[in-house]
Amino acid sequence: MTAVNHFTYGLITPLLAYVMSCIGSMLGLRLTAQAHASRGGARVRWLLGAAISIGGTGIWVMHFIAMMGFEVEGTQIKYDVLLTVASAVVAIVVVGTGLFLVSYGGGRVLALLGGGLLTGLGVASMHYLGMYAMNMSAHVSYDRLTVAASVAIAVVAATVALWFTLRVKKPIWITAAALVMGVAVSGMHYTGMYAMHVSVDAEPGVVAGADALDFLVPLMTVISLITLTMLLMVILSPSEEELHEDAELVAKLEQRRRAAHQQQLTYPTPMPRQQPMQARRR
């Protein structure tokens, strides 16, 4: 066993990771609410945006910000580029799949539980794939019971998050739900990290891969910028309540137009009577 430090920079990394998780979750819930108020291609686009927000920013970026504070005494830590990118894709795809299942499942319990199970297992897979992407001159093992606990947390958190996407509409409740989701995602992450045991090699060798600052920071920056762009799109887009009010107004105007047209057909306006030619000559 060796010294493993999860908080190299103190509380900065866990707090920043939690904040990013909350921001991604908040935006994802807002985009999902927008999707429920839309139809056709617009609905699909909003759901895809929600998948990127929750899976990309709320989960993946949160994970690797937390990993920036992870250190193992006696060895360098570098990252396999392909596996790290694959972990981001996994997070976005599984969250998107869960959102589509729940959104098009009509709010049925079976769709919610199935989507929560699939998304939770996917989130756990992303987490451990991201950890597997770390290259160290060390032997890594995991406590199975703690791993199982982290997977259970991921499934429960994913199910609750998907339930929130169906029920939460108002900004104040979206904010509260995002704070809860941030706690759940962070709790799953650090539970999974606690399951890891590291033994540094007696003769540390050369560690292959990319440095975190050279690779992870630019990638996280890109995803964060995409998230901010979508946030601006949401702010500039009408809310679900505004869309509902507009739809009601259009429906009322259409109803009045039809009533006026029907009244005109029932009681046509009489044509003015023409005067005799002789009367007009006088």
Side-chain angles (χ1 to χ4, degrees):
M1 300 295 293
T2 188
V4 175
N5 188 0
H6 296 281
F7 309 104
T8 304
Y9 304 105
L11 294 178
I12 294 178
T13 48
L15 286 177
L16 184 58
Y18 173 72
V19 169
M20 289 303 295
S21 182
C22 291
I23 291 174
S25 300
M26 187 183 304
L27 178 58
L29 291 173
R30 183 68 180 82
L31 289 168
T32 306
Q34 200 79 15
H36 291 163
S38 306
R39 294 291 181 270
R43 188 178 192 180
V44 172
R45 289 192 293 272
W46 289 122
L47 288 175
L48 289 175
I52 295 173
S53 299
I54 298 176
T57 303
I59 297 172
W60 188 87
V61 172
M62 175 272 151
H63 171 89
F64 282 101
I65 287 178
M67 292 306 297
M68 298 294 288
F70 179 74
E71 184 181 70
V72 177
E73 185 179 340
T75 179
Q76 281 185 311
I77 299 177
K78 294 189 177 182
Y79 291 87
D80 184 292
V81 174
L82 291 179
L83 287 178
T84 304
V85 173
S87 67
V89 174
V90 167
I92 294 171
V93 169
V94 296
V95 170
T97 303
L99 289 173
F100 274 89
L101 279 175
V102 172
S103 180
Y104 288 96
R108 292 190 295 269
V109 175
L110 187 60
L112 176 62
L113 295 178
L117 178 62
L118 175 65
T119 305
L121 292 176
V123 170
S125 299
M126 171 267 140
H127 173 83
Y128 288 104
L129 183 60
M131 291 170 66
Y132 185 70
M134 291 189 301
N135 293 330
M136 296 180 283
S137 183
H139 174 72
V140 179
S141 60
Y142 295 91
D143 179 80
R144 295 182 179 180
L145 186 60
T146 310
V147 169
S150 69
V151 174
I153 293 174
V155 172
V156 173
T159 305
V160 172
L162 292 176
W163 182 85
F164 279 144
T165 64
L166 292 174
R167 298 289 184 268
V168 176
K169 307 295 181 184
K170 296 184 179 297
I172 185 171
W173 293 114
I174 286 178
T175 302
L179 295 175
V180 174
M181 289 169 63
V183 171
V185 173
S186 298
M188 182 269 158
H189 170 83
Y190 284 105
T191 301
M193 294 299 295
Y194 183 74
M196 184 172 62
H197 303 287
V198 182
S199 298
V200 176
D201 296 337
E203 297 181 2
V206 178
V207 179
D211 289 326
L213 292 177
D214 295 335
F215 168 60
L216 282 178
V217 172
L219 192 57
M220 289 188 292
T221 302
V222 170
I223 295 179
S224 299
L225 288 175
I226 293 174
T227 302
L228 291 175
T229 302
M230 290 189 293
L231 179 60
L232 290 175
M233 291 172 58
V234 170
I235 292 173
L236 296 175
S237 299
S239 65
E240 183 178 3
E241 185 176 347
E242 291 171 338
L243 289 173
H244 182 68
E245 291 175 354
D246 289 344
E248 285 186 343
L249 179 60
V250 170
K252 287 180 180 178
L253 292 175
E254 180 65 17
Q255 187 177 5
R256 289 181 181 179
R257 187 191 67 80
R258 290 181 179 179
H261 181 67
Q262 185 65 31
Q263 185 178 11
Q264 187 177 10
L265 293 176
T266 306
Y267 305 103
T269 304
M271 296 292 292
R273 293 169 56 183
Q274 294 184 355
Q275 296 179 352
M277 294 291 294
Q278 293 179 355
R280 280 188 281 177
R281 286 176 183 173
R282 290 178 185 176

